[in-house]
Amino acid sequence: MTVDEIKKCLRDFARYGCFQQSKHCRERMRERQVTVDDALNVLLWGQVSEIKYNETNDNWQCKVTGKDIDGDDLVFIAGVWEHCHTVRCITVY
């Protein structure tokens, strides 16, 4: 997948509220006081980088860097499955 394809998947999922989180991501969000609104803001407006294919999980992983709703820096590592079937937050920092 290209950066543009991954951006489209992330933004479409964020717009329609299809934000999925791994258990690890939920724990990190709770620890870092990151809300779902913060996450959606980063997915909608953030920059996508470091795309790589993960053979173990059969998905594309990318780093999404942006701002939370308070304007603080926030980074998500997201997994994107081919054809945008699923987008899942793996971790946040």
Side-chain angles (χ1 to χ4, degrees):
M1 293 183 83
T2 67
V3 170
D4 288 339
E5 290 171 328
I6 287 181
K7 276 186 194 177
K8 182 178 180 344
C9 287
L10 293 172
R11 286 169 171 89
D12 286 349
F13 272 76
R15 276 189 202 100
Y16 299 114
C18 300
F19 177 67
Q20 295 184 4
Q21 309 146 6
S22 67
K23 181 181 175 189
H24 175 80
C25 183
R26 282 191 302 274
E27 291 168 357
R28 295 303 166 262
M29 286 176 70
R30 191 172 29 254
E31 287 173 5
R32 295 173 173 103
Q33 298 178 344
V34 174
T35 66
V36 171
D37 287 340
D38 292 325
L40 294 175
N41 197 62
V42 172
L43 295 177
L44 282 169
W45 306 108
Q47 297 300 313
V48 175
S49 64
E50 298 182 27
I51 298 171
K52 65 180 180 179
Y53 188 74
N54 181 322
E55 289 185 30
T56 304
N57 294 320
D58 191 29
N59 70 358
W60 293 89
Q61 288 188 357
C62 62
K63 179 178 179 180
V64 187
T65 306
K67 303 281 185 185
D68 67 13
I69 58 173
D70 295 323
D72 297 323
D73 292 334
L74 192 59
V75 176
F76 273 83
I77 303 300
V80 179
W81 277 259
E82 201 71 45
H83 308 298
C84 300
H85 290 139
T86 306
V87 173
R88 177 175 291 157
C89 172
I90 298 167
T91 194
V92 59
Y93 54 94

Coordinates of all heavy atoms in Angstrom, one line a residue:
M1 N 0.8 -1.2 0.0 CA 0.0 0.0 0.0 C 0.9 1.2 0.0 O 2.0 1.2 0.5 CB -0.9 0.0 1.2 CG -1.9 -1.1 1.3 SD -3.0 -1.0 2.7 CE -4.2 0.2 2.1
T2 N 0.4 2.3 -0.6 CA 1.1 3.6 -0.6 C 0.7 4.4 0.6 O -0.3 4.1 1.3 CB 0.8 4.3 -1.9 OG1 -0.6 4.7 -1.9 CG2 1.1 3.5 -3.1
V3 N 1.4 5.5 0.8 CA 1.1 6.4 1.9 C -0.3 7.0 1.7 O -1.1 7.1 2.6 CB 2.1 7.6 2.0 CG1 1.7 8.7 2.9 CG2 3.5 7.1 2.4
D4 N -0.6 7.4 0.5 CA -1.9 7.9 0.2 C -3.1 6.9 0.5 O -4.1 7.3 1.0 CB -2.0 8.4 -1.3 CG -1.2 9.7 -1.5 OD1 -0.9 10.4 -0.5 OD2 -0.8 10.0 -2.6
E5 N -2.8 5.6 0.1 CA -3.9 4.6 0.4 C -4.0 4.4 1.9 O -5.2 4.3 2.3 CB -3.5 3.3 -0.3 CG -3.5 3.3 -1.8 CD -2.9 2.1 -2.5 OE1 -2.0 1.5 -1.9 OE2 -3.4 1.7 -3.5
I6 N -3.0 4.4 2.6 CA -3.1 4.2 4.0 C -3.7 5.4 4.7 O -4.6 5.3 5.6 CB -1.7 3.9 4.7 CG1 -1.3 2.5 4.3 CG2 -1.7 4.1 6.2 CD1 0.0 2.0 4.8
K7 N -3.4 6.6 4.2 CA -4.0 7.8 4.8 C -5.5 7.8 4.6 O -6.3 8.1 5.4 CB -3.5 9.1 4.1 CG -2.2 9.6 4.6 CD -1.9 11.0 3.9 CE -0.5 11.4 4.1 NZ -0.2 12.6 3.4
K8 N -5.9 7.4 3.4 CA -7.4 7.3 3.1 C -8.1 6.3 4.0 O -9.1 6.6 4.5 CB -7.6 6.9 1.6 CG -9.1 6.9 1.2 CD -9.3 6.5 -0.2 CE -10.7 6.5 -0.6 NZ -11.8 6.4 0.3
C9 N -7.5 5.1 4.2 CA -8.0 4.1 5.1 C -8.2 4.7 6.5 O -9.2 4.6 7.1 CB -7.2 2.9 5.1 SG -7.2 1.8 3.7
L10 N -7.1 5.3 7.0 CA -7.1 5.8 8.4 C -8.2 6.9 8.5 O -9.0 6.9 9.5 CB -5.8 6.4 8.7 CG -4.6 5.4 8.9 CD1 -3.3 6.2 9.0 CD2 -4.8 4.5 10.0
R11 N -8.3 7.8 7.6 CA -9.2 8.9 7.6 C -10.7 8.4 7.5 O -11.6 8.8 8.2 CB -8.9 10.0 6.6 CG -7.7 10.7 7.2 CD -7.0 11.6 6.2 NE -6.0 12.5 6.8 CZ -4.7 12.2 6.9 NH1 -4.3 11.0 6.5 NH2 -3.9 13.0 7.5
D12 N -10.9 7.4 6.6 CA -12.2 6.9 6.4 C -12.7 6.2 7.7 O -13.8 6.4 8.2 CB -12.3 5.9 5.3 CG -12.2 6.6 3.9 OD1 -12.4 7.8 3.8 OD2 -12.1 5.8 2.9
F13 N -11.8 5.4 8.3 CA -12.2 4.7 9.5 C -12.4 5.7 10.6 O -13.4 5.5 11.4 CB -11.1 3.7 9.9 CG -11.3 2.3 9.3 CD1 -11.0 2.1 8.0 CD2 -11.8 1.3 10.0 CE1 -11.2 0.9 7.4 CE2 -12.1 0.0 9.5 CZ -11.8 -0.2 8.1
A14 N -11.6 6.7 10.7 CA -11.8 7.7 11.8 C -13.1 8.5 11.6 O -13.9 8.7 12.6 CB -10.6 8.7 11.8
R15 N -13.4 8.8 10.4 CA -14.7 9.6 10.1 C -15.9 8.8 10.5 O -16.9 9.3 10.9 CB -14.8 9.9 8.6 CG -14.0 11.1 8.2 CD -14.3 11.6 6.8 NE -13.3 12.4 6.3 CZ -12.2 12.0 5.6 NH1 -12.2 10.7 5.1 NH2 -11.3 12.8 5.2
Y16 N -15.9 7.5 10.3 CA -17.0 6.6 10.5 C -17.0 6.0 11.9 O -17.8 5.1 12.2 CB -17.2 5.6 9.4 CG -17.4 6.2 8.1 CD1 -16.4 6.1 7.1 CD2 -18.5 7.0 7.8 CE1 -16.6 6.8 5.9 CE2 -18.7 7.7 6.6 CZ -17.7 7.5 5.6 OH -17.9 8.1 4.4
G17 N -16.0 6.4 12.7 CA -16.0 5.9 14.1 C -15.6 4.4 14.2 O -15.9 3.8 15.2
C18 N -14.8 3.9 13.3 CA -14.4 2.5 13.3 C -13.0 2.4 13.9 O -12.1 1.8 13.3 CB -14.4 1.9 11.9 SG -16.0 1.9 11.1
F19 N -12.8 3.0 15.0 CA -11.5 3.0 15.7 C -11.3 1.8 16.5 O -12.0 1.6 17.5 CB -11.4 4.3 16.5 CG -10.1 4.4 17.3 CD1 -8.9 4.6 16.6 CD2 -10.1 4.3 18.7 CE1 -7.7 4.7 17.3 CE2 -8.9 4.4 19.4 CZ -7.7 4.6 18.7
Q20 N -10.5 0.9 16.1 CA -10.2 -0.3 16.9 C -8.9 -0.2 17.6 O -8.0 0.5 17.1 CB -10.1 -1.5 16.0 CG -11.4 -1.9 15.3 CD -11.3 -3.1 14.5 OE1 -10.3 -3.8 14.5 NE2 -12.4 -3.5 13.8
Q21 N -8.8 -0.8 18.8 CA -7.6 -0.7 19.6 C -7.2 -2.1 20.1 O -8.0 -2.9 20.4 CB -7.8 0.1 20.8 CG -8.4 1.5 20.6 CD -9.3 1.9 21.7 OE1 -9.4 1.3 22.7 NE2 -10.0 3.0 21.5
S22 N -5.9 -2.4 20.0 CA -5.4 -3.6 20.6 C -5.5 -3.4 22.2 O -5.6 -2.3 22.7 CB -3.9 -3.8 20.2 OG -3.1 -2.8 20.8
K23 N -5.4 -4.5 22.9 CA -5.3 -4.4 24.3 C -4.2 -3.5 24.8 O -4.4 -2.7 25.7 CB -5.2 -5.8 24.9 CG -5.2 -5.8 26.4 CD -5.1 -7.2 27.0 CE -4.9 -7.2 28.5 NZ -4.6 -8.5 29.1
H24 N -3.0 -3.7 24.2 CA -1.9 -2.9 24.5 C -2.2 -1.4 24.3 O -1.8 -0.6 25.2 CB -0.7 -3.3 23.7 CG 0.5 -2.5 23.9 ND1 1.4 -2.7 24.9 CD2 1.0 -1.5 23.1 CE1 2.4 -1.8 24.8 NE2 2.2 -1.1 23.8
C25 N -2.8 -1.1 23.2 CA -3.1 0.3 22.9 C -4.1 0.9 24.0 O -3.9 2.0 24.5 CB -3.7 0.5 21.5 SG -4.0 2.2 21.1
R26 N -5.1 0.1 24.3 CA -6.0 0.6 25.4 C -5.3 0.9 26.7 O -5.6 1.9 27.3 CB -7.2 -0.4 25.6 CG -8.2 -0.4 24.5 CD -9.4 -1.2 24.9 NE -9.1 -2.6 25.2 CZ -9.0 -3.6 24.2 NH1 -9.3 -3.3 23.0 NH2 -8.8 -4.8 24.6
E27 N -4.4 0.0 27.0 CA -3.6 0.2 28.3 C -2.8 1.4 28.2 O -2.7 2.2 29.1 CB -2.8 -1.0 28.6 CG -3.5 -2.3 28.9 CD -2.7 -3.5 28.9 OE1 -1.5 -3.5 28.5 OE2 -3.3 -4.6 29.3
R28 N -2.1 1.7 27.1 CA -1.2 2.8 26.9 C -2.1 4.1 26.9 O -1.7 5.1 27.4 CB -0.4 2.7 25.6 CG 0.6 1.6 25.7 CD 1.6 1.8 26.9 NE 2.3 0.5 27.1 CZ 2.0 -0.4 28.0 NH1 0.9 -0.3 28.8 NH2 2.7 -1.5 28.1
M29 N -3.2 4.1 26.2 CA -4.1 5.2 26.2 C -4.5 5.6 27.6 O -4.5 6.8 28.0 CB -5.3 5.0 25.3 CG -5.0 5.0 23.8 SD -6.4 4.6 22.8 CE -7.4 6.1 23.0
R30 N -4.9 4.6 28.4 CA -5.3 4.9 29.8 C -4.2 5.4 30.6 O -4.3 6.4 31.3 CB -5.8 3.6 30.4 CG -6.5 3.7 31.7 CD -7.2 2.4 32.2 NE -6.6 1.2 31.8 CZ -7.1 0.4 30.9 NH1 -8.3 0.7 30.3 NH2 -6.5 -0.8 30.6
E31 N -3.0 4.9 30.5 CA -1.8 5.3 31.2 C -1.4 6.8 30.8 O -1.0 7.5 31.7 CB -0.6 4.4 30.9 CG -0.6 3.1 31.5 CD 0.6 2.2 31.0 OE1 1.4 2.7 30.2 OE2 0.6 1.1 31.4
R32 N -1.6 7.1 29.6 CA -1.1 8.4 29.1 C -2.3 9.4 29.0 O -2.1 10.5 28.4 CB -0.5 8.2 27.7 CG 0.8 7.4 27.8 CD 1.5 7.1 26.5 NE 2.8 6.5 26.7 CZ 3.0 5.2 26.6 NH1 2.0 4.3 26.3 NH2 4.2 4.7 26.8
Q33 N -3.5 9.0 29.4 CA -4.7 9.8 29.4 C -5.0 10.3 28.0 O -5.3 11.5 27.8 CB -4.5 11.0 30.4 CG -4.3 10.5 31.9 CD -4.2 11.6 32.8 OE1 -3.9 12.8 32.5 NE2 -4.3 11.3 34.1
V34 N -4.9 9.4 27.1 CA -5.3 9.7 25.7 C -6.7 9.2 25.5 O -7.0 8.1 25.8 CB -4.3 9.0 24.7 CG1 -4.8 9.1 23.3 CG2 -2.9 9.5 24.9
T35 N -7.6 10.1 25.0 CA -8.9 9.8 24.7 C -9.1 9.3 23.3 O -8.3 9.5 22.4 CB -9.9 11.0 25.0 OG1 -9.6 12.0 24.0 CG2 -9.7 11.5 26.4
V36 N -10.3 8.7 23.0 CA -10.6 8.3 21.7 C -10.7 9.6 20.8 O -10.2 9.5 19.6 CB -12.0 7.6 21.6 CG1 -12.4 7.3 20.2 CG2 -11.8 6.2 22.3
D37 N -11.2 10.7 21.3 CA -11.2 11.9 20.5 C -9.7 12.4 20.1 O -9.5 12.8 19.0 CB -11.8 13.1 21.2 CG -13.3 12.9 21.3 OD1 -13.9 12.2 20.5 OD2 -14.0 13.5 22.2
D38 N -8.8 12.2 21.0 CA -7.4 12.5 20.7 C -6.9 11.6 19.6 O -6.3 12.1 18.6 CB -6.5 12.2 22.0 CG -6.7 13.2 23.1 OD1 -7.0 14.4 22.8 OD2 -6.6 12.8 24.2
A39 N -7.2 10.3 19.7 CA -6.8 9.4 18.7 C -7.4 9.7 17.3 O -6.7 9.7 16.3 CB -7.2 8.0 19.1
L40 N -8.7 10.0 17.3 CA -9.4 10.3 16.0 C -8.8 11.6 15.4 O -8.6 11.7 14.2 CB -10.9 10.5 16.3 CG -11.6 9.2 16.7 CD1 -13.1 9.5 17.0 CD2 -11.5 8.1 15.6
N41 N -8.4 12.6 16.2 CA -7.8 13.8 15.7 C -6.5 13.5 15.0 O -6.2 14.0 13.9 CB -7.6 14.8 16.9 CG -7.3 16.2 16.3 OD1 -8.2 16.7 15.7 ND2 -6.2 16.7 16.6
V42 N -5.7 12.6 15.6 CA -4.4 12.2 15.0 C -4.6 11.4 13.7 O -4.0 11.7 12.7 CB -3.5 11.4 16.0 CG1 -2.3 10.9 15.3 CG2 -3.1 12.3 17.1
L43 N -5.6 10.5 13.7 CA -5.9 9.7 12.5 C -6.4 10.6 11.4 O -6.1 10.3 10.2 CB -6.8 8.6 12.9 CG -6.3 7.5 13.8 CD1 -7.3 6.5 14.1 CD2 -5.0 6.9 13.3
L44 N -7.2 11.6 11.7 CA -7.8 12.5 10.7 C -6.8 13.5 10.1 O -6.8 13.8 8.9 CB -9.0 13.2 11.3 CG -10.3 12.5 11.4 CD1 -11.3 13.3 12.2 CD2 -10.8 12.1 10.0
W45 N -5.9 14.0 11.0 CA -5.1 15.1 10.5 C -3.6 14.8 10.6 O -2.8 15.7 10.2 CB -5.4 16.3 11.4 CG -6.8 16.7 11.3 CD1 -7.7 16.5 12.4 CD2 -7.6 17.2 10.2 NE1 -9.0 16.9 12.0 CE2 -8.9 17.3 10.7 CE3 -7.2 17.5 8.9 CZ2 -9.9 17.7 9.8 CZ3 -8.3 18.0 8.1 CH2 -9.6 18.1 8.5
G46 N -3.2 13.7 11.1 CA -1.7 13.4 11.3 C -1.0 13.0 10.0 O -1.6 12.8 8.9
Q47 N 0.3 12.9 10.1 CA 1.2 12.5 9.0 C 1.5 11.1 9.1 O 1.9 10.6 10.2 CB 2.4 13.4 9.0 CG 2.2 14.9 8.8 CD 1.5 15.1 7.4 OE1 1.9 14.6 6.4 NE2 0.4 15.9 7.5
V48 N 1.4 10.4 8.0 CA 1.8 8.9 8.0 C 3.2 8.7 7.5 O 3.6 9.3 6.5 CB 0.8 8.2 7.0 CG1 1.2 6.7 6.9 CG2 -0.6 8.3 7.5
S49 N 3.9 7.9 8.2 CA 5.3 7.6 7.9 C 5.7 6.2 8.3 O 4.9 5.5 8.9 CB 6.3 8.6 8.5 OG 6.2 8.5 9.9
E50 N 6.9 5.8 7.9 CA 7.4 4.5 8.3 C 6.5 3.3 8.0 O 6.2 2.5 8.9 CB 7.8 4.5 9.8 CG 8.9 5.5 10.1 CD 9.3 5.5 11.6 OE1 9.2 4.5 12.2 OE2 9.8 6.6 12.1
I51 N 6.1 3.2 6.8 CA 5.2 2.1 6.4 C 6.0 0.9 6.1 O 7.1 1.0 5.4 CB 4.4 2.5 5.1 CG1 3.6 3.7 5.4 CG2 3.6 1.3 4.6 CD1 3.0 4.3 4.1
K52 N 5.6 -0.2 6.7 CA 6.3 -1.5 6.4 C 5.2 -2.6 6.5 O 4.2 -2.5 7.2 CB 7.4 -1.7 7.4 CG 7.0 -1.9 8.8 CD 8.2 -2.2 9.7 CE 7.7 -2.3 11.2 NZ 8.8 -2.6 12.1
Y53 N 5.5 -3.7 5.7 CA 4.6 -4.8 5.7 C 5.0 -5.8 6.9 O 6.2 -6.1 7.0 CB 4.6 -5.6 4.4 CG 3.6 -6.6 4.3 CD1 2.3 -6.3 4.2 CD2 4.0 -8.0 4.5 CE1 1.3 -7.3 4.1 CE2 3.0 -9.0 4.4 CZ 1.7 -8.6 4.2 OH 0.7 -9.6 4.2
N54 N 4.1 -6.2 7.7 CA 4.3 -7.1 8.8 C 3.8 -8.5 8.4 O 2.6 -8.7 8.4 CB 3.6 -6.6 10.0 CG 3.8 -7.5 11.2 OD1 3.8 -8.7 11.1 ND2 3.9 -6.9 12.4
E55 N 4.7 -9.4 8.0 CA 4.3 -10.7 7.5 C 3.6 -11.5 8.6 O 2.7 -12.3 8.4 CB 5.5 -11.4 7.0 CG 6.0 -10.9 5.7 CD 7.1 -11.7 5.1 OE1 7.2 -12.9 5.3 OE2 7.9 -11.1 4.4
T56 N 4.0 -11.3 9.9 CA 3.5 -12.1 11.0 C 2.0 -11.8 11.1 O 1.2 -12.8 11.3 CB 4.2 -11.8 12.3 OG1 5.6 -12.0 12.1 CG2 3.6 -12.6 13.5
N57 N 1.6 -10.6 11.0 CA 0.2 -10.2 11.2 C -0.6 -10.0 9.9 O -1.7 -9.7 9.8 CB 0.0 -8.9 12.0 CG 0.5 -9.2 13.4 OD1 0.2 -10.2 14.0 ND2 1.2 -8.2 14.0
D58 N 0.2 -10.1 8.8 CA -0.4 -10.0 7.4 C -1.1 -8.6 7.3 O -2.2 -8.5 6.9 CB -1.4 -11.1 7.1 CG -1.8 -11.1 5.6 OD1 -1.0 -10.7 4.8 OD2 -2.9 -11.6 5.3
N59 N -0.4 -7.6 7.7 CA -0.9 -6.2 7.6 C 0.2 -5.2 7.3 O 1.4 -5.6 7.4 CB -1.7 -5.8 8.8 CG -0.8 -5.6 10.1 OD1 0.4 -5.8 10.1 ND2 -1.5 -5.2 11.1
W60 N -0.2 -4.0 7.0 CA 0.8 -2.9 6.9 C 0.8 -2.1 8.2 O -0.3 -1.8 8.8 CB 0.3 -2.0 5.8 CG 0.4 -2.6 4.4 CD1 -0.5 -3.4 3.8 CD2 1.6 -2.7 3.6 NE1 -0.1 -3.9 2.6 CE2 1.2 -3.4 2.5 CE3 2.8 -2.1 3.6 CZ2 2.1 -3.6 1.4 CZ3 3.7 -2.3 2.6 CH2 3.3 -3.1 1.5
Q61 N 2.0 -1.8 8.7 CA 2.1 -1.0 9.9 C 2.7 0.3 9.6 O 3.5 0.4 8.7 CB 2.9 -1.7 10.9 CG 2.2 -2.9 11.5 CD 3.0 -3.5 12.7 OE1 4.1 -3.1 13.1 NE2 2.4 -4.5 13.3
C62 N 2.1 1.4 10.2 CA 2.6 2.7 9.9 C 2.6 3.5 11.2 O 1.9 3.2 12.2 CB 1.7 3.4 8.9 SG 0.0 3.6 9.4
K63 N 3.4 4.6 11.1 CA 3.5 5.5 12.2 C 2.7 6.7 11.8 O 2.9 7.2 10.7 CB 5.0 5.9 12.5 CG 5.2 6.9 13.5 CD 6.7 7.1 13.7 CE 7.1 8.1 14.7 NZ 8.6 8.3 14.8
V64 N 1.8 7.2 12.7 CA 1.0 8.4 12.4 C 1.3 9.4 13.5 O 1.1 9.1 14.7 CB -0.5 8.0 12.5 CG1 -1.3 9.2 12.0 CG2 -0.8 6.8 11.6
T65 N 1.8 10.5 13.1 CA 2.2 11.6 14.0 C 1.3 12.8 13.9 O 1.1 13.2 12.7 CB 3.7 12.0 13.7 OG1 4.5 10.9 13.8 CG2 4.2 13.0 14.7
G66 N 0.8 13.3 15.0 CA 0.0 14.5 14.9 C -0.2 15.1 16.3 O 0.6 14.9 17.2
K67 N -1.3 15.8 16.4 CA -1.6 16.5 17.6 C -2.9 16.0 18.2 O -3.9 15.7 17.5 CB -1.8 18.0 17.4 CG -0.6 18.7 16.7 CD 0.4 19.0 17.7 CE 1.6 19.8 17.1 NZ 2.7 20.0 18.0
D68 N -3.0 15.9 19.6 CA -4.2 15.6 20.2 C -5.1 16.8 20.2 O -4.8 17.8 19.7 CB -4.0 15.0 21.6 CG -3.5 16.0 22.6 OD1 -3.5 17.2 22.3 OD2 -3.0 15.5 23.7
I69 N -6.3 16.7 20.8 CA -7.3 17.8 20.7 C -6.8 19.0 21.5 O -7.3 20.1 21.3 CB -8.7 17.4 21.1 CG1 -8.7 16.8 22.5 CG2 -9.3 16.4 20.1 CD1 -10.1 16.5 23.1
D70 N -5.8 18.8 22.4 CA -5.3 19.9 23.2 C -4.0 20.5 22.5 O -3.4 21.5 23.0 CB -4.9 19.5 24.6 CG -6.1 19.1 25.4 OD1 -7.1 19.7 25.3 OD2 -6.0 18.1 26.2
G71 N -3.6 20.0 21.4 CA -2.5 20.5 20.6 C -1.2 19.9 21.0 O -0.1 20.3 20.6
D72 N -1.2 18.8 21.9 CA 0.0 18.1 22.3 C 0.4 17.1 21.2 O -0.5 16.5 20.6 CB -0.1 17.5 23.6 CG -0.4 18.5 24.7 OD1 0.2 19.6 24.7 OD2 -1.2 18.2 25.6
D73 N 1.7 16.8 21.1 CA 2.2 15.8 20.1 C 1.7 14.4 20.6 O 1.7 14.1 21.8 CB 3.7 15.8 20.1 CG 4.3 17.1 19.4 OD1 3.5 17.7 18.6 OD2 5.4 17.4 19.7
L74 N 1.4 13.6 19.6 CA 0.9 12.3 19.8 C 1.3 11.4 18.7 O 1.2 11.8 17.5 CB -0.6 12.3 20.0 CG -1.3 11.0 20.6 CD1 -0.7 10.7 22.0 CD2 -2.8 11.2 20.7
V75 N 1.7 10.2 18.9 CA 2.1 9.2 17.9 C 1.3 7.9 18.1 O 1.2 7.4 19.2 CB 3.6 8.9 18.0 CG1 4.0 7.9 17.0 CG2 4.4 10.2 17.8
F76 N 0.8 7.5 17.0 CA 0.2 6.1 16.9 C 0.9 5.2 16.0 O 1.4 5.7 15.0 CB -1.3 6.3 16.4 CG -2.3 6.6 17.4 CD1 -2.5 7.9 17.8 CD2 -3.0 5.6 18.0 CE1 -3.4 8.3 18.8 CE2 -3.9 6.0 19.0 CZ -4.1 7.3 19.4
I77 N 1.0 4.0 16.4 CA 1.4 2.9 15.5 C 0.1 2.2 15.1 O -0.6 1.7 16.0 CB 2.5 2.0 16.1 CG1 3.7 2.8 16.6 CG2 2.9 0.9 15.1 CD1 4.4 3.5 15.6
A78 N -0.2 2.1 13.9 CA -1.4 1.6 13.4 C -1.2 0.4 12.5 O -0.2 0.4 11.7 CB -2.3 2.6 12.7
G79 N -2.0 -0.6 12.6 CA -2.0 -1.7 11.6 C -3.2 -1.5 10.6 O -4.3 -1.2 11.1
V80 N -2.9 -1.6 9.4 CA -3.9 -1.5 8.3 C -3.9 -2.7 7.5 O -2.9 -3.2 6.9 CB -3.6 -0.3 7.4 CG1 -4.6 -0.1 6.3 CG2 -3.4 1.0 8.2
W81 N -5.1 -3.4 7.4 CA -5.2 -4.6 6.6 C -5.6 -4.2 5.2 O -6.3 -3.3 5.0 CB -6.2 -5.5 7.3 CG -5.6 -6.3 8.4 CD1 -5.2 -7.6 8.3 CD2 -5.3 -5.9 9.7 NE1 -4.6 -8.0 9.5 CE2 -4.7 -7.0 10.4 CE3 -5.4 -4.7 10.4 CZ2 -4.2 -6.9 11.7 CZ3 -5.0 -4.6 11.7 CH2 -4.4 -5.7 12.3
E82 N -5.1 -5.0 4.3 CA -5.3 -4.8 2.9 C -6.8 -4.5 2.6 O -7.7 -5.1 3.2 CB -4.9 -6.0 2.1 CG -4.6 -5.8 0.6 CD -3.3 -5.0 0.4 OE1 -2.3 -5.3 1.1 OE2 -3.3 -4.0 -0.4
H83 N -7.0 -3.6 1.6 CA -8.3 -3.2 1.2 C -9.1 -2.5 2.3 O -10.4 -2.5 2.2 CB -9.1 -4.4 0.6 CG -8.4 -5.1 -0.5 ND1 -8.0 -4.5 -1.6 CD2 -7.9 -6.4 -0.5 CE1 -7.3 -5.4 -2.4 NE2 -7.2 -6.5 -1.7
C84 N -8.4 -2.0 3.3 CA -9.1 -1.3 4.4 C -10.1 -2.0 5.1 O -11.1 -1.5 5.6 CB -9.7 0.0 3.8 SG -8.5 1.1 3.1
H85 N -10.0 -3.3 5.2 CA -10.9 -4.1 6.0 C -10.9 -3.8 7.5 O -11.9 -3.8 8.2 CB -10.7 -5.6 5.8 CG -11.1 -6.1 4.4 ND1 -10.4 -7.0 3.7 CD2 -12.1 -5.7 3.6 CE1 -10.9 -7.2 2.6 NE2 -12.0 -6.4 2.5
T86 N -9.7 -3.5 8.0 CA -9.5 -3.2 9.4 C -8.4 -2.2 9.6 O -7.3 -2.3 8.9 CB -9.2 -4.5 10.2 OG1 -10.2 -5.5 9.9 CG2 -9.1 -4.2 11.7
V87 N -8.5 -1.3 10.5 CA -7.5 -0.4 11.0 C -7.5 -0.5 12.5 O -8.5 -0.4 13.1 CB -7.7 1.0 10.5 CG1 -6.7 1.9 11.2 CG2 -7.7 1.2 9.0
R88 N -6.3 -0.8 13.0 CA -6.2 -1.0 14.5 C -5.0 -0.3 15.1 O -3.9 -0.3 14.5 CB -6.1 -2.5 14.8 CG -6.0 -2.7 16.3 CD -6.0 -4.2 16.7 NE -7.4 -4.7 16.4 CZ -7.6 -5.9 16.2 NH1 -6.7 -6.8 16.2 NH2 -8.9 -6.3 16.0
C89 N -5.3 0.4 16.1 CA -4.2 1.1 16.9 C -3.4 0.0 17.6 O -4.0 -0.8 18.4 CB -4.7 2.1 17.8 SG -3.4 2.8 18.9
I90 N -2.1 -0.1 17.4 CA -1.3 -1.0 18.1 C -0.7 -0.4 19.4 O -0.7 -1.1 20.4 CB -0.1 -1.5 17.2 CG1 -0.8 -2.2 15.9 CG2 0.8 -2.4 17.9 CD1 0.2 -2.4 14.8
T91 N -0.2 0.8 19.3 CA 0.3 1.5 20.5 C 0.2 3.0 20.3 O 0.0 3.5 19.2 CB 1.7 1.0 20.9 OG1 2.0 1.5 22.2 CG2 2.7 1.6 20.0
V92 N 0.4 3.7 21.4 CA 0.3 5.2 21.3 C 1.4 5.7 22.3 O 1.6 5.2 23.4 CB -1.1 5.7 21.7 CG1 -1.5 5.2 23.0 CG2 -1.2 7.2 21.6
Y93 N 2.0 6.8 21.9 CA 3.0 7.5 22.8 C 3.1 9.0 22.5 O 2.6 9.4 21.5 CB 4.3 6.8 22.8 CG 5.0 6.6 21.5 CD1 5.9 7.6 21.0 CD2 4.7 5.5 20.7 CE1 6.5 7.4 19.8 CE2 5.4 5.3 19.5 CZ 6.3 6.3 19.0 OH 6.9 6.1 17.8

